[in-house]
Amino acid sequence: MLSMESGYIALYGSGELKRRAERLESRLASCDICLRECRVNRLQNELGFCHSAYLPIVSAICSHHGEEPAISGSKGSGTVFFGNCNMRCAYCQNHQISQDWKKQKSKEMDFHKLAEQMLYLQDELGCHNINFVSPSHFVPQLVRAVLEAVPLGLRVPLVYNSSGYDYVASLKELDGVISVYLPDLRYASDKWARKFSKARNYVTYARAAIKEMYRQVGELVVDEFGLAQRGLIVRHLILPNGIAGSEESLTWLAREVSPTVTVSIMSQYYPSHKAQRRHLLSRTISEAEYSEVLRLLEEAGLENGWVQEMGAAENYLPDFEREGHPFAVAAQMQGEVTLNPSSFSAFV
Ligand code: SF4
C-alpha cells in the first residue's frame, strides 16, 4: 500500500493535539505520567523516580540502521534517545544515558530545538520515521515537541519505542499521534522484573499497555517499500537462564493479542552495566537457549515478525560517550566509520 498521512497532522488541524499536550502537561504538576505515580511537581522541576523535570532530556539523535527492517529501511530510523528511564534494568545497554541522571541534566532541550532536530532527521538525513526511545516518562514533552514540529513540516510516522512499562492513561493520549508502537515484553515474572529492573507489577502493566497499543494501531501495515506505516511490533529480548519467560510471554501474545501480531525476537543480550555482577545475567545467551525460543515461537503459533541472528550481541552495544554516532563501529581495514546494519530476518 502507499504511504498514509500520519494521524498527528489531522489532530493538529483540529486543535486536538494542542488539547492533548495541555492535558498531559497539567498532569506534570502532580506527576502520574507513568505508573510509578510519584506525584512530584515536574513543572516546578521537582524530581521523581525518573529524575526528569519539565524539559525533555535528549541524550542522542541519530539515524539508526540496526532496527527491524520495516523501521530502519534503507535510510535509517530517525532516533531520538530520551535520557533517564522509569525502569532500572541491571543489564541496560543504554545505561550511560538511562541511569546517570546527573550527567543527563545537561542534555535538557527546549521544545523548539527538539522539533528542529526532528525535521533534521526527516529532511536532511531522509529518515523514514521519528523513533522515540524510552519515552514513557516524557509523554507530555513528546506531544509538545510534535505540536511544535508539525508547522515546520513534520510528516513521517512516529514510533514509540519503550520498555513496555507504560501507563495506559498516558497511552490513551497518544491515540492517533503514534503510528507504530515498538514495546518490549521483557518478563513473564514479577519476581524477576522487580529484582532485575526495579519494576513492580511489570507483567500486568506491560500486558495492559500492549493491549492498549494494539487497540490503537492494530497489526503492522507497511508501504510498497516494506516500511512501517502503522501497527504494533512487540520486541522480546531473550535473556539467559530463562529469565525472560519466553514460553509464557509468546503464548500470551498469541492467545491474548493475536497469532498474527508482529513479533521481533532479539538475541543481542549482552551483560552490560551491573549484569556482570548478577550471576544469572552474567553471560550472553547460548545457542541452545536461542534455538529453544525459536521452537517456542513456532509452538505458540506466532506467524509474523523477525528473528535476530545469533552473534548480534557485541555489534549492538551503543557508546553514548563516543564522538558522533552511538552505533558507529570503526571499519577494520580503512579506519572508516560504518554503522551496524540490521541483523533481523523474517520468520520463514
Ligand atoms: S514519569 Fe517520572 S516522576 Fe512521573 S510518575 Fe513516572 S517516574 Fe514518577
Side-chain angles (χ1 to χ4, degrees):
M1 67 165 298
L2 295 173
S3 305
M4 49 174 84
E5 183 178 274
S6 298
Y8 58 79
I9 294 175
L11 294 177
Y12 177 86
S14 67
E16 175 63 10
L17 194 62
K18 186 162 183 273
R19 287 192 287 279
R20 301 259 188 109
E22 288 169 353
R23 241 181 357 244
L24 282 161
E25 281 171 347
S26 71
R27 285 171 49 196
L28 290 172
S30 174
C31 189
D32 65 350
I33 292 303
C34 88
L35 26 79
R36 296 209 181 255
E37 296 190 276
C38 300
R39 299 286 172 195
V40 294
N41 187 347
R42 291 172 66 186
L43 300 173
Q44 297 293 328
N45 292 328
E46 289 175 12
L47 304 181
F49 185 88
C50 64
H51 288 113
S52 304
Y54 173 58
L55 285 177
I57 292 173
V58 179
S59 301
I61 287 204
C62 63
S63 166
H64 194 338
H65 293 260
E67 304 280 51
E68 289 78 357
I71 303 293
S72 279
S74 57
K75 295 184 175 167
S77 176
T79 310
V80 174
F81 287 93
F82 283 121
N84 301 335
C85 193
N86 69 341
M87 290 177 74
R88 294 285 186 275
C89 301
Y91 50 87
C92 181
Q93 64 170 23
N94 294 353
H95 65 94
Q96 291 163 316
I97 61 170
S98 67
Q99 297 187 36
D100 187 355
W101 64 274
K102 285 186 182 153
K103 254 193 187 165
Q104 297 313 304
K105 179 78 183 148
S106 65
K107 306 276 177 61
E108 280 188 345
M109 187 179 277
D110 70 54
F111 296 102
H112 193 72
K113 176 85 192 294
L114 176 51
E116 286 177 341
Q117 292 289 297
M118 287 152 68
L119 268 292
Y120 163 76
L121 291 167
Q122 174 189 276
D123 295 338
E124 303 292 319
L125 300 187
C127 295
H128 305 295
N129 47 59
I130 303 296
N131 178 353
F132 295 105
V133 179
S134 299
S136 310
H137 54 302
F138 280 129
V139 174
Q141 291 84 350
L142 181 164
V143 175
R144 172 64 64 187
V146 174
L147 192 63
E148 291 267 342
V150 176
L152 302 182
L154 187 72
R155 61 181 182 280
V156 293
L158 304 180
V159 179
Y160 186 94
N161 179 343
S162 80
S163 297
Y165 203 46
D166 288 292
Y167 200 12
V168 169
S170 296
L171 292 175
K172 284 188 186 296
E173 300 286 3
L174 296 174
D175 195 354
V177 178
I178 297 297
S179 298
V180 180
Y181 282 104
L182 187 56
D184 295 322
L185 184 50
R186 284 180 185 258
Y187 303 102
S189 149
D190 283 336
K191 181 179 113 184
W192 293 136
R194 252 194 338 270
K195 186 174 172 77
F196 296 129
S197 295
K198 294 203 173 124
R200 189 175 49 87
N201 293 333
Y202 177 87
V203 181
T204 306
Y205 289 145
R207 289 180 179 185
I210 287 171
K211 282 196 158 184
E212 169 61 18
M213 293 170 182
Y214 187 69
R215 184 195 68 76
Q216 289 181 24
V217 297
E219 308 251 330
L220 184 64
V221 175
V222 298
D223 69 5
E224 69 267 42
F225 306 108
L227 296 166
Q229 298 298 297
R230 183 181 171 87
L232 171 68
I233 303 171
V234 180
R235 282 179 165 171
H236 182 68
L237 175 69
I238 310 171
L239 294 172
N241 298 300
I243 301 294
S246 303
E247 180 167 11
E248 215 179 314
S249 283
L250 296 177
T251 305
W252 177 81
L253 276 171
R255 285 198 189 142
E256 302 292 325
V257 182
S258 166
T260 50
V261 68
T262 300
V263 178
S264 174
I265 302 293
M266 306 182 81
S267 65
Q268 68 182 53
Y269 176 77
Y270 187 86
S272 313
H273 193 32
K274 300 174 181 164
Q276 294 286 356
R277 302 197 294 274
R278 303 294 189 99
H279 171 62
L280 291 171
L281 291 172
S282 62
R283 61 165 173 83
T284 55
I285 61 166
S286 66
E287 287 278 357
E289 286 168 330
Y290 179 72
S291 308
E292 172 64 2
V293 173
L294 299 195
R295 189 190 67 74
L296 291 169
L297 188 64
E298 211 176 318
E299 193 175 276
L302 289 160
E303 298 168 17
N304 296 315
W306 299 274
V307 173
Q308 201 175 32
E309 66 197 29
M310 265 298 270
E314 294 195 29
N315 291 341
Y316 277 84
L317 272 186
D319 183 354
F320 292 94
E321 285 167 7
R322 174 171 42 213
E323 275 295 303
H325 198 291
F327 289 92
V329 287
Q332 299 277 317
M333 300 301 288
Q334 295 98 347
E336 293 170 348
V337 170
T338 58
L339 303 178
N340 58 347
S342 179
S343 63
F344 291 93
S345 9
F347 293 3
V348 285

